[in-house]
Amino acid sequence: MSSMLGSALRNLPVSSAWAAGALARSFSCSSQFQASAQPKTKKTLGKTGVKNVVVVEGVRIPFLQSGTSYADLMPHDLARAALQGLLTRTSVPRDVVDYIVYGTVIQEVKTSNVAREAALGAGFSDKTPAHTVTMACISSNQAMTTGVGMIAAGQCDVVVAGGVELMSDVPIRHSRKMRKTMLTLNRAKTLGQKLSLISKIRPDYFAPELPAVAEFSTSETMGHSADRLAAAFGISRYEQDEYALRSHTLAKKAQDEGLLQDVVPFKVPGKDTVTKDNGIRPSSMEQMGKLKPAFVKPYGTVTAANSSFLTDGASAMLIMSEEKALAMGYKPKAYLRDFVYVSQDPKDQLLLGPTYATPKVLEKAGLTLNDIDVFEFHEAFAGQILANLKAMDSDWFAQNYMGRKSKVGAPPLDKFNTWGGSLSLGHPFGATGCRLVITAAHRLRKEGGQYGLVAACAAGGQGHAMIVELYPQ
């Protein structure tokens, strides 16, 4: 399967210094990053009789590697901080918000409806409904589109959507044998019954059940799937490391230049104020090459360096009907337009969600790949991203697996994740979708584009894609 990405990748940097120089040239020779850049003139995607739904603002607290500054908190603490950051940024009255939806993946049992607990903690009215959704890595995408649907249906005018994940503290259960014994013990009425049950406890009952980032249907970790996917598409360890280096280098540049405007500071109780992501670490091909395979040992190609890291973080987004936003005096950032969800084989095609979702959302919106000015794809693994780009650029894959006559094509790298991605910025499972959308909106404004395409894969072999249209200034 040929790919224009493959040619581009062969010209990617072999050292961080080379990368910095190449990227600097690509950024400095254009006016696309000037604040005064004007969008190209294209048709709007508004539809007669359908409410326009807009993003007024989106924020996130800094995404941090698990086990660092957020380690002693709970998920609702992070979500509350994101909500408070959104309130501070927008000054939206709390009682104007009709509904709150949050996405999360690994639920804290004490706050299973984390949206409600975070909303109450952030000072929203106890009369404001809130619910939590889960759809693996596209959980906050689902939260957003739930809000879009509620507004489009006329049920709400103002929705706050977001996502949260705290990988520093995940539920660890007793073994099933121990759980059954303890529940039965709780119902025992006499001392004799209790002693009888206790006498049946064996040492193996005390072995805990540790959570695993693995597919229930296949018992395979996502890293294993990424390794097999990279092998299937002929993506080398070298190419994966190159792409990861690109992500970190671009993220560092965006961070240094103040482009990551969605990040809001978070004063961690008992600690210093966190102001920026801490996983952005440009390295070198030589250093990355020293790491051993993380999943398929000893010959795998997926390593800690070319994978997204376990991340703590939360995001929040203010979504309104266009009429309500303008009536309240807001200048929206972007329209949320067409979106699709897809699902496919959870084993061999677990991480190919963007490949399947992208052509569908383009067709639904009446656009082509060439119409898109900004691409923001979720980077779970470098091998996953590169496999998707190769699959999208393959007629053979389109015809044999997607039921299409021809390929959709691969996004050009000069429009693709140019402010970094999940490999470098971090990937709090439930929070990433909102980051992708607001980054697309900010890039459209900065670079003078009109249409952005956001796409992501998720566990379970699912995926999501959405068209974001710049709001006219």
Side-chain angles (χ1 to χ4, degrees):
M1 289 173 273
S2 63
S3 171
M4 66 182 182
L5 175 70
S7 175
L9 281 173
R10 284 192 288 274
N11 294 319
L12 276 175
V14 295
S15 71
S16 57
W18 197 101
L23 293 168
R25 289 192 293 274
S26 69
F27 285 114
S28 64
C29 297
S30 169
S31 62
Q32 64 179 354
F33 283 86
Q34 296 177 7
S36 60
Q38 296 298 313
K40 304 168 187 176
T41 302
K42 298 178 182 177
K43 66 177 181 180
T44 181
L45 297 181
K47 299 175 182 177
T48 304
V50 178
K51 277 191 175 184
N52 285 325
V53 180
V54 297
V55 174
V56 172
E57 184 61 273
V59 303
R60 61 183 177 91
I61 59 173
F63 288 176
L64 303 186
Q65 295 184 49
S66 63
T68 57
S69 295
Y70 300 155
D72 296 328
L73 302 179
M74 291 179 66
H76 72 283
D77 294 319
L78 306 190
R80 179 181 64 230
L83 289 172
Q84 290 173 333
L86 184 67
L87 291 170
T88 299
R89 178 77 62 91
T90 63
S91 298
V92 64
R94 290 172 173 82
D95 58 0
V96 170
V97 176
D98 299 311
Y99 209 98
I100 298 171
V101 193
Y102 251 72
T104 194
V105 178
I106 301 179
Q107 294 183 334
E108 163 60 54
V109 294
K110 292 182 179 179
T111 57
S112 57
N113 186 6
V114 68
R116 176 65 167 170
E117 305 306 332
L120 292 173
F124 284 90
S125 168
D126 57 11
K127 302 297 190 293
T128 303
H131 81 268
T132 302
V133 297
T134 185
M135 201 174 180
C137 300
I138 52 176
S139 292
S140 65
N141 306 64
Q142 183 60 253
M144 278 187 293
T145 57
T146 296
V148 169
M150 296 175 81
I151 294 171
Q155 298 299 309
C156 300
D157 281 318
V158 182
V159 174
V160 171
V164 61
E165 213 68 50
L166 182 69
M167 295 304 296
S168 290
D169 181 27
V170 296
I172 298 175
R173 305 198 299 180
H174 282 290
S175 68
R176 190 177 186 90
K177 291 178 181 179
M178 178 60 88
R179 297 200 307 271
K180 291 178 69 174
T181 300
M182 293 172 70
L183 290 171
T184 305
L185 185 64
N186 191 51
R187 296 193 296 269
K189 298 184 184 300
T190 68
L191 178 61
Q193 289 175 333
K194 293 179 181 180
L195 291 175
S196 176
L197 287 168
I198 292 172
S199 70
K200 295 177 182 178
I201 295 176
R202 298 293 180 266
D204 65 313
Y205 281 32
F206 294 97
E209 287 184 0
L210 301 176
V213 185
E215 294 294 301
F216 180 81
S217 59
T218 65
S219 299
E220 188 174 71
T221 67
M222 194 172 288
H224 253 89
S225 296
D227 236 324
R228 286 194 300 100
L229 194 65
F233 282 88
I235 299 165
S236 69
R237 161 79 177 269
Y238 190 84
E239 288 175 314
Q240 293 174 61
D241 286 352
E242 279 185 323
Y243 185 85
L245 177 60
R246 173 188 188 267
S247 182
H248 280 273
T249 304
L250 288 169
K252 185 65 166 66
K253 181 178 178 63
Q255 187 179 69
D256 290 347
E257 295 183 358
L259 299 178
L260 306 181
Q261 300 170 18
D262 56 330
V263 178
V264 294
F266 176 25
K267 176 63 175 72
V268 180
K271 298 182 181 179
D272 294 335
T273 299
V274 180
T275 60
K276 62 181 181 179
D277 308 316
N278 71 359
I280 303 174
R281 297 180 178 180
S283 182
S284 70
M285 291 296 290
E286 292 74 19
Q287 290 175 311
M288 295 167 73
K290 295 177 183 178
L291 296 183
K292 295 181 179 180
F295 300 98
V296 179
K297 302 174 182 180
Y299 302 115
T301 57
V302 176
T303 71
N306 56 42
S307 307
S308 58
F309 47 88
L310 296 180
T311 314
D312 300 334
S315 56
M317 182 175 289
L318 181 60
I319 305 171
M320 294 186 181
S321 64
E322 181 180 23
E323 296 84 352
K324 184 69 172 181
L326 296 179
M328 293 186 66
Y330 288 113
K331 189 70 172 181
K333 290 183 179 293
Y335 294 106
L336 295 181
R337 297 302 195 187
D338 291 289
F339 61 87
V340 299
Y341 288 92
V342 297
S343 60
Q344 56 277 343
D345 173 19
K347 185 173 177 65
D348 293 327
Q349 300 187 52
L350 174 71
L351 302 172
L352 289 178
T355 296
Y356 285 88
T358 294
K360 287 187 176 182
V361 80
L362 288 173
E363 290 166 4
K364 191 174 183 182
L367 300 174
T368 68
L369 202 71
N370 291 333
D371 292 318
I372 304 301
D373 305 296
V374 160
F375 294 88
E376 283 293 326
F377 279 32
H378 165 45
E379 301 170 350
F381 303 89
Q384 161 259 329
I385 277 288
L386 300 182
N388 273 276
L389 297 185
K390 281 195 172 185
M392 291 171 67
D393 205 33
S394 167
D395 284 322
W396 181 88
F397 189 87
Q399 294 162 6
N400 287 275
Y401 285 93
M402 301 177 66
R404 299 176 55 83
K405 294 181 179 180
S406 61
K407 65 187 180 183
V408 64
L413 282 182
D414 61 353
K415 297 181 180 180
F416 191 85
N417 290 13
T418 57
W419 292 1
S422 304
L423 290 172
S424 48
L425 299 173
H427 174 37
F429 300 146
T432 291
C434 286
R435 179 192 68 76
L436 294 171
V437 168
I438 199 62
T439 299
H442 285 162
R443 282 185 56 202
L444 286 172
R445 174 67 56 212
K446 193 73 173 176
E447 299 171 21
Q450 184 168 346
Y451 299 135
L453 195 157
V454 170
C457 63
Q462 302 190 100
H464 172 256
M466 171 183 277
I467 301 295
V468 178
E469 181 182 347
L470 181 70
Y471 197 84
Q473 297 299 292

